[in-house]
Amino acid sequence: MVTSKPKDFIFCSSLSSLSEITHEELRELREQPTDPQEEQEIIDRIEEVYFSSDSFDMVQYELEKLPPDLNLLELEEYRDKLKRQQAAVSKRVADLILEKQPSYVKELERVTSLQTNLQLAAVICTNARRQLHSAKEGFTEASLGLLANQRRRQLLTGLLKSLRTIKTLQRTDVRLSEMLEEEDYPGAIQLCLECQKAASTFKHYNCISELNSKLQDTLEQIEEQLDVALSKTCKHFDVSHYTKVQLAYKLLGKTQTAMDQLHMHFTQAIHNTVFQVVLGYVELCAGNADTKFQKMQYKDLCTHITADSYIPCLTDLCKALWEVMLSYHLTMQWHDEHYKEEEATPGGSDESTVDRSYVKKKLEHGLTRIWQDVQLKVKAYLLGTDVSNFKYDDFIVVLDVISRLMQVGEEFCGSKSEVLQESIRRQSVNYFKNYHRTRLEELRMFLENETWELCPVKYNFSIAQLHEFKFMGQCRSPSVSPSRQPESTETVELSLFEQYLQGGNPFEMQIDNKEEETEDVLASNGYESDELEKSVYQDYDSDSDVPEELKQDYVDEQTGDAPVKSVSRETLRSRKRSDYNLNRANAPILTNTTLNVIRLVGKYMQMMNILKPIAFDVIHCVSQLFDYYLYAVYTFFGRNDMYESSGLGLISSRLRTTLSRIQESLIDVNAGPHASPEERKEKVPSPHLSQLVVLTASDTLYGLAERVVATESLVFLAEQFEFLHLHLDTMMPSAKKPFLQQFYSQTVSTASELRKPIYWIVAAKAIDYEQMLLLMAGVKWDIKEIMSQHNIYVDVLLKEFEKFNQRLGDVSKIVRIPLPVSNVLWEHCIRLANRTLVEGYANVKKCSNEGRALMQLDFQQFLMKLEKLTDLRPIPDKEFVETYIKAYYLTENDMEQFIKNHREYSMKQLTNLVNVCLGSHINKKARQKLLAAIDDIDRPKR
């Protein structure tokens, strides 16, 4: 088989050599008998190189193949082979030509037809060109010229419009400057953006490239001015101004950037504001001193504030910071209202929703951040000056200002202001230690110079009337009638931001408060000028001040009818005298020192009210004020070594524990020049009674007036502490409340218990009990008949009581003696008298049954007369005397039981009882047994 490529080659070669083969040769080739198979074999034996390419040189190839030694036979044989091969190829080509001849003829006819058509087309084109030339000359040149001119006109018109627009763009900067001066930032940005859009349309003009750059610079300038305008809202918020600024940033697509910038400006505004305020005061106080304060750090600058300018500077500082926080509050309010309107409007884009969410989170986060900056700035100012030596009123102003600032912080972002609380706590503790130490020394000085005279106050005096307690708005004087109290109206309390939204400042009220601190609690002449006080110095025995209805028989308070049995006028008079009040409407008994302590407590409570963190420290100091006052009253008027021997239990274990605690924790018993500084700081020397106070004069009942004023002023002070208990409890931290409860239960409640030891001294000296013992010793008790007349010592004792009663009335003209005081005095006197009677009876050597009856007669006479002098019921220690007298009649067994059960009697009294009974109904053996029982009772005591 011959490949297609050799066949093509044969075909092409045959064509090229076709002219060389004659018709005879073709005929010969055609006539030669051929065997197709043999012919194919001859062709297959042709070398491949003959089929390689058209440029193959067969002659050259065959010549190069010749061997060096030529052999004619071989050459002829090889020539014949080549001829056979050529003949086979030629025959194959001839067969192919004959086979394709019909197609050749047909194609030749088509070529001839195509040539004819092309000649016809050339004629048509020639005619068309000739006719087009005629049309051009006759019509086209004129008409198309008109169209070209029209087109050129339109182009020039567009160019003129573009040039006018470019001219307008060139003049835009003037209008932009005007709009910026008018603060029309949205309009300026809108105009600038439109100009940029227009400039991009004409960017193919060379002049526009420069204008576009200029517009970009103008837009950047607008952004800078917009940033400045945004910063102005940090100090003085204006709705219209802020609305323009926000709209401008929205047009720029920089809402989130604007919010970031706004917070940066607020931070910067806080720093610049406080620095300028403090710098102004520092430079003002420094005068012409050449100190470069402006280059100082804010913290260092705060250390140059003087004490005189500290409060004004602090107030101005808080005012300035309030303006910044108010602006931020209004900014948040604007965004809340604005976003509510946007949410109500349908069709909002996702981008605006994202912006709203970002701005809301940023504003909420900024609240805490801005308040933290404010706290740090105020903290640096607070700690920059030592306020420990400030006056109390000045320090209270500082606390009040900071308290108001913390209130602002709580309303601003709900913060507890830990930074401010810690700062003011440090300053307060430092200040309060020095202040309290000074006040305790002042209190000691007051007590040592106190003459314990009545301080004249109005009958309706209440601590709520003192300006130190004005902060307790809910406290009203109990004497004010409901009709005179202002009607309470339920009003919703507005926040500070709502109160001062339209103007004003919450820190401007500090100056006004001092002008309102006026009070009128002192009476003009010691008593009120009411009609009730007209009879102050009238004689008690006269009936001039007794109402008519009391001069009549006793009237039943329930029915108004007089009972069958009338009460004597003496009884009425004694009832009237039982409270030596001189009709002073129970005016409080207190001294100047008491009033000073109350005022001091009010000042301390003001500090607690303003500064909760040091509440416990302050309450502890308040308790020390009361402790020291109580200890001083006890030291001055109640300390006596005879208490233990009296057996009356005058000082309770609770009171004794309280006094011991005060002495150990507060009183410096070793006070002197050699005491250590630490001891001096923690404790106070024990006070000494003024030499002007005389407690030894019998005509004044041994200083009873002073004792009453001192003791009852302490009781009044305790009552005021009870009144303040609830308020103090609300201020006290929960963990420290047990201390307050213990203070009230162990100390305040013991104030009234001091009445017993203090007034006992008066009772012990007011009546001559020794004289009564001497008189009783002279009485003969071993009488044989029952007497109907009492002994003389009873009359002497009753005269002593009448004398005491008269002196008590004299003292009551100087100071009101409350009913509890008169009761304690009478109780002490009667107890001492009764115990003196028992002691007198115990001194009896011999006594008969009739003598015991005489003792009972004497005692009954004493009781009957005594009940007319006092309305104290029941008579104290009445059973003490009666039981001892009746014990004389007891048998041996009953006597032994009596000794075991009645240990209130002394060894001497019980022993005398047994000895007196000897011989009458107790023998010697029984006597020894009873004395042994008495000794057994006494042995544990030893």
Side-chain angles (χ1 to χ4, degrees):
M1 289 296 291
V2 179
T3 60
S4 59
K5 184 175 181 181
K7 289 180 179 180
D8 294 339
F9 174 76
I10 294 170
F11 177 74
C12 295
S13 301
S14 299
L15 285 176
S16 62
S17 61
L18 185 60
S19 59
E20 300 178 0
I21 302 174
T22 59
H23 291 285
E24 291 80 3
E25 292 176 343
L26 286 171
R27 191 169 48 252
E28 289 177 2
L29 291 171
R30 196 180 299 115
E31 290 176 355
Q32 288 181 0
T34 59
D35 184 1
Q37 186 176 1
E38 182 182 357
E39 182 181 337
Q40 184 63 38
E41 291 178 354
I42 294 172
I43 292 172
D44 292 339
R45 287 196 293 270
I46 297 174
E47 295 183 25
E48 288 295 331
V49 70
Y50 285 95
F51 301 102
S52 60
S53 64
D54 295 341
S55 61
F56 176 67
D57 190 351
M58 295 176 291
V59 177
Q60 183 68 25
Y61 175 72
E62 292 297 336
L63 289 176
E64 291 177 352
K65 284 178 61 179
L66 292 176
D69 297 329
L70 300 175
N71 189 338
L72 182 60
L73 291 175
E74 292 177 357
L75 290 172
E76 287 181 351
E77 184 179 352
Y78 186 69
R79 184 192 64 179
D80 293 339
K81 177 184 176 181
L82 290 175
K83 280 187 177 183
R84 283 193 300 274
Q85 290 176 350
Q86 182 182 14
V89 169
S90 299
K91 185 175 183 305
R92 177 67 63 85
V93 169
D95 290 340
L96 289 173
I97 291 172
L98 291 174
E99 184 180 345
K100 300 293 183 182
Q101 187 175 8
S103 299
Y104 169 74
V105 174
K106 186 177 179 179
E107 189 67 27
L108 186 60
E109 290 176 357
R110 288 178 61 193
V111 170
T112 304
S113 175
L114 179 60
Q115 183 178 3
T116 303
N117 290 335
L118 289 174
Q119 290 175 351
L120 178 59
V123 173
I124 293 172
C125 286
T126 302
N127 293 334
R129 286 177 181 275
R130 186 171 58 250
Q131 292 174 1
L132 283 173
H133 182 70
S134 300
K136 177 182 177 182
E137 292 179 351
F139 173 75
T140 304
E141 289 183 354
S143 299
L144 291 181
L146 290 174
L147 292 174
N149 289 335
Q150 178 63 24
R151 182 174 177 275
R152 190 179 298 110
R153 179 182 176 185
Q154 289 179 348
L155 290 174
L156 291 173
T157 302
L159 178 61
L160 180 61
K161 185 178 180 181
S162 299
L163 290 174
R164 287 174 177 170
T165 303
I166 292 171
K167 183 179 180 181
T168 304
L169 292 175
Q170 295 285 2
R171 296 179 179 176
T172 303
D173 57 342
V174 179
R175 178 56 187 156
L176 285 174
S177 300
E178 293 176 355
M179 296 177 80
L180 290 178
E181 289 179 2
E182 297 170 358
E183 296 185 346
D184 185 10
Y185 303 108
I189 291 175
Q190 185 71 35
L191 178 60
C192 194
L193 292 176
E194 289 176 357
C195 289
Q196 281 188 326
K197 185 178 180 181
S200 65
T201 306
F202 304 107
K203 61 183 178 181
H204 51 280
Y205 296 107
N206 293 333
C207 60
I208 288 299
S209 60
E210 181 181 351
L211 176 63
N212 207 1
S213 176
K214 186 176 180 180
L215 286 172
Q216 186 63 34
D217 294 341
T218 303
L219 190 60
E220 292 177 359
Q221 180 184 355
I222 293 174
E223 287 190 32
E224 291 176 1
Q225 292 195 23
L226 193 59
D227 190 55
V228 173
L230 184 65
S231 66
K232 291 180 180 178
T233 63
C234 296
K235 292 184 180 180
H236 304 288
F237 184 85
D238 181 75
V239 176
S240 60
H241 178 79
Y242 188 73
T243 304
K244 291 179 182 178
V245 172
Q246 284 296 321
L247 181 57
Y249 273 111
K250 187 175 182 180
L251 291 173
L252 290 173
K254 295 184 177 181
T255 303
Q256 297 184 12
T257 305
M259 195 49 54
D260 295 337
Q261 287 293 107
L262 180 64
H263 282 81
M264 185 187 72
H265 287 313
F266 268 106
T267 302
Q268 191 66 27
I270 291 173
H271 174 76
N272 293 341
T273 298
V274 297
F275 187 85
Q276 291 301 323
V277 171
V278 176
L279 178 64
Y281 276 93
V282 170
E283 290 181 341
L284 181 65
C285 297
N288 297 325
D290 187 14
T291 307
K292 296 180 180 180
F293 294 112
Q294 293 186 353
K295 295 183 179 180
M296 284 187 176
Q297 293 292 327
Y298 170 75
K299 189 174 182 180
D300 298 330
L301 194 64
C302 291
T303 60
H304 289 78
I305 289 290
T306 62
D308 293 336
S309 59
Y310 186 84
I311 293 177
C313 182
L314 176 63
T315 306
D316 288 346
L317 198 66
C318 292
K319 286 181 180 179
L321 290 172
W322 161 260
E323 295 296 337
V324 175
M325 288 186 285
L326 179 61
S327 296
Y328 195 89
H329 176 78
L330 293 174
T331 301
M332 289 194 68
Q333 187 174 316
W334 183 92
H335 280 280
D336 289 341
E337 295 175 355
H338 186 67
Y339 290 155
K340 285 180 182 178
E341 293 177 0
E342 286 187 354
E343 290 173 358
T345 304
S349 63
D350 294 338
E351 184 179 355
S352 63
T353 304
V354 172
D355 286 343
R356 283 200 301 269
S357 177
Y358 179 84
V359 170
K360 185 177 181 180
K361 291 181 179 178
K362 191 76 175 179
L363 286 171
E364 290 175 352
H365 176 71
L367 282 171
T368 307
R369 180 177 149 193
I370 287 175
W371 177 240
Q372 188 70 10
D373 289 343
V374 170
Q375 287 191 90
L376 292 175
K377 297 300 181 184
V378 178
K379 173 187 176 182
Y381 182 84
L382 287 175
L383 300 180
T385 304
D386 182 13
V387 299
S388 59
N389 296 319
F390 273 30
K391 294 180 180 178
Y392 172 81
D393 290 338
D394 291 340
F395 189 72
I396 284 297
V397 171
V398 173
L399 291 184
D400 198 20
V401 170
I402 298 302
S403 175
R404 181 57 58 93
L405 185 62
M406 288 192 287
Q407 182 184 353
V408 170
E410 186 170 359
E411 294 182 4
F412 185 67
C413 62
S415 171
K416 297 301 181 183
S417 309
E418 290 83 1
V419 175
L420 277 180
Q421 286 195 25
E422 176 59 23
S423 303
I424 200 65
R425 190 194 68 79
R426 286 170 55 186
Q427 287 286 44
S428 298
V429 170
N430 185 28
Y431 173 83
F432 194 72
K433 285 182 179 178
N434 293 337
Y435 181 79
H436 180 61
R437 175 65 194 172
T438 306
R439 299 291 81 76
L440 280 178
E441 288 292 342
E442 286 183 0
L443 179 57
R444 181 171 71 91
M445 181 188 68
F446 278 128
L447 289 169
E448 290 183 346
N449 290 277
E450 179 63 65
T451 57
W452 302 103
E453 295 179 353
L454 193 64
C455 176
V457 294
K458 291 189 175 182
Y459 72 94
N460 62 347
F461 170 76
S462 168
I463 61 172
Q465 299 167 358
L466 300 176
H467 69 75
E468 285 84 0
F469 293 90
K470 292 297 183 183
F471 70 95
M472 297 171 57
Q474 70 275 19
C475 296
R476 290 199 184 99
S477 173
S479 60
V480 179
S481 63
S483 61
R484 296 179 61 184
Q485 293 180 357
E487 296 182 0
S488 59
T489 56
E490 294 183 2
T491 57
V492 179
E493 185 177 355
L494 299 176
S495 68
L496 293 175
F497 288 98
E498 293 171 336
Q499 294 178 34
Y500 299 98
L501 186 63
Q502 303 300 328
N505 197 296
F507 300 98
E508 292 175 350
M509 61 183 294
Q510 307 303 325
I511 302 174
D512 300 334
N513 281 347
K514 289 187 177 181
E515 299 176 357
E516 299 176 1
E517 293 180 352
T518 57
E519 60 187 22
D520 183 19
V521 296
L522 298 180
S524 57
N525 59 352
Y527 311 105
E528 288 297 309
S529 57
D530 297 344
E531 291 297 321
L532 289 175
E533 275 77 27
K534 287 185 178 180
S535 58
V536 168
Y537 297 108
Q538 290 179 358
D539 187 9
Y540 257 92
D541 292 332
S542 69
D543 292 340
S544 58
D545 57 345
V546 180
E548 290 298 325
E549 55 192 16
L550 291 181
K551 293 180 183 179
Q552 300 172 1
D553 288 339
Y554 176 71
V555 178
D556 192 321
E557 294 181 357
Q558 301 295 328
T559 63
D561 298 327
V564 176
K565 184 179 179 180
S566 299
V567 181
S568 66
R569 181 170 298 181
E570 288 296 325
T571 304
L572 292 176
R573 192 173 289 127
S574 66
R575 284 178 179 170
K576 173 176 166 292
R577 282 202 302 264
S578 62
D579 185 2
Y580 299 85
N581 59 4
L582 297 177
N583 284 336
R584 293 179 203 171
N586 295 328
I589 298 176
L590 66 159
T591 65
N592 287 326
T593 305
T594 317
L595 202 56
N596 286 330
V597 171
I598 292 173
R599 290 184 186 277
L600 204 55
V601 171
K603 290 179 178 180
Y604 282 23
M605 290 182 65
Q606 283 183 41
M607 298 181 77
M608 283 188 290
N609 189 53
I610 295 172
L611 195 63
K612 303 296 190 299
I614 67 165
F616 172 70
D617 299 315
V618 178
I619 288 179
H620 182 260
C621 293
V622 168
S623 69
Q624 288 186 341
L625 295 176
F626 186 85
D627 287 348
Y628 196 68
Y629 193 91
L630 182 146
Y631 186 82
V633 172
Y634 167 74
T635 304
F636 292 167
F637 303 102
R639 180 176 289 173
N640 196 293
D641 297 331
M642 296 187 295
Y643 293 152
E644 301 299 332
S645 61
S646 68
L648 297 177
L650 299 175
I651 299 183
S652 64
S653 59
R654 183 175 62 166
L655 178 58
R656 193 183 306 278
T657 303
T658 299
L659 293 171
S660 299
R661 176 189 60 80
I662 296 173
Q663 184 166 346
E664 291 175 4
S665 63
L666 186 61
I667 305 303
D668 185 7
V669 293
N670 298 320
H674 302 293
S676 65
E678 291 299 324
E679 290 178 352
R680 289 178 179 272
K681 286 184 179 179
E682 298 297 329
K683 296 184 178 182
V684 189
S686 179
H688 301 286
L689 183 63
S690 172
Q691 296 180 354
L692 299 176
V693 180
V694 179
L695 302 179
T696 56
S698 60
D699 55 342
T700 62
L701 274 181
Y702 305 95
L704 178 60
E706 289 81 359
R707 294 176 189 273
V708 169
V709 171
T711 310
E712 299 313 305
S713 67
L714 175 64
V715 173
F716 177 79
L717 185 62
E719 291 173 354
Q720 305 316 303
F721 268 79
E722 291 290 353
F723 174 72
L724 298 172
H725 188 179
L726 182 60
H727 195 84
L728 291 174
D729 188 67
T730 57
M731 293 180 175
M732 181 69 102
S734 300
K736 301 294 184 179
K737 286 189 176 182
F739 168 81
L740 187 65
Q741 297 299 330
Q742 185 177 8
F743 168 66
Y744 270 90
S745 62
Q746 299 294 328
T747 306
V748 176
S749 61
T750 60
S752 59
E753 294 181 12
L754 275 181
R755 285 171 172 162
K756 285 188 176 182
I758 291 176
Y759 297 135
W760 182 87
I761 299 175
V762 176
K765 296 180 179 180
I767 294 176
D768 191 353
Y769 303 100
E770 294 297 329
Q771 180 189 6
M772 187 170 67
L773 285 174
L774 293 174
L775 292 174
M776 292 179 70
V779 177
K780 186 178 181 180
W781 300 101
D782 55 344
I783 56 177
K784 300 301 181 181
E785 58 182 16
I786 296 177
M787 305 295 292
S788 61
Q789 180 65 33
H790 61 272
N791 286 303
I792 191 67
Y793 73 87
V794 176
D795 295 328
V796 173
L797 180 60
L798 288 171
K799 285 183 180 180
E800 287 287 324
F801 272 100
E802 290 175 357
K803 184 179 178 182
F804 169 74
N805 191 29
Q806 183 179 358
R807 288 180 179 178
L808 206 57
D810 293 339
V811 173
S812 68
K813 296 178 181 179
I814 302 173
V815 59
R816 177 176 65 88
I817 300 180
L819 180 60
V821 176
S822 66
N823 286 342
V824 170
L825 284 168
W826 278 102
E827 179 182 355
H828 281 332
C829 289
I830 295 172
R831 282 183 185 276
L832 287 171
N834 286 337
R835 290 176 181 270
T836 304
L837 288 173
V838 171
E839 187 66 20
Y841 297 150
N843 291 332
V844 175
K845 301 299 181 181
K846 295 180 179 180
C847 182
S848 61
N849 289 336
E850 291 79 4
R852 285 294 175 182
L854 181 58
M855 290 181 185
Q856 290 182 343
L857 176 63
D858 291 344
F859 186 60
Q860 292 301 320
Q861 177 68 18
F862 171 69
L863 291 179
M864 183 181 66
K865 296 292 184 180
L866 184 63
E867 288 179 350
K868 295 181 180 180
L869 293 175
T870 177
D871 56 354
L872 183 63
R873 300 292 185 276
I875 298 297
D877 280 353
K878 176 182 176 182
E879 293 79 7
F880 183 79
V881 181
E882 291 177 340
T883 304
Y884 188 80
I885 296 174
K886 292 176 182 179
Y888 177 81
Y889 303 106
L890 296 177
T891 62
E892 176 185 344
N893 293 333
D894 292 338
M895 179 69 75
E896 184 177 1
Q897 193 66 33
F898 175 85
I899 291 172
K900 292 179 180 179
N901 294 338
H902 292 272
R903 299 188 180 187
E904 65 270 20
Y905 298 106
S906 67
M907 282 268 304
K908 174 190 171 184
Q909 293 168 351
L910 292 174
T911 303
N912 178 266
L913 186 64
V914 174
N915 291 331
V916 168
C917 294
L918 179 64
S920 60
H921 55 279
I922 294 179
N923 55 33
K924 290 184 178 182
K925 184 178 179 181
R927 172 177 173 273
Q928 293 300 328
K929 181 181 177 182
L930 293 173
L931 290 178
I934 296 173
D935 189 59
D936 290 340
I937 294 174
D938 186 58
R939 188 174 292 114
K941 298 180 182 179
R942 292 179 288 179

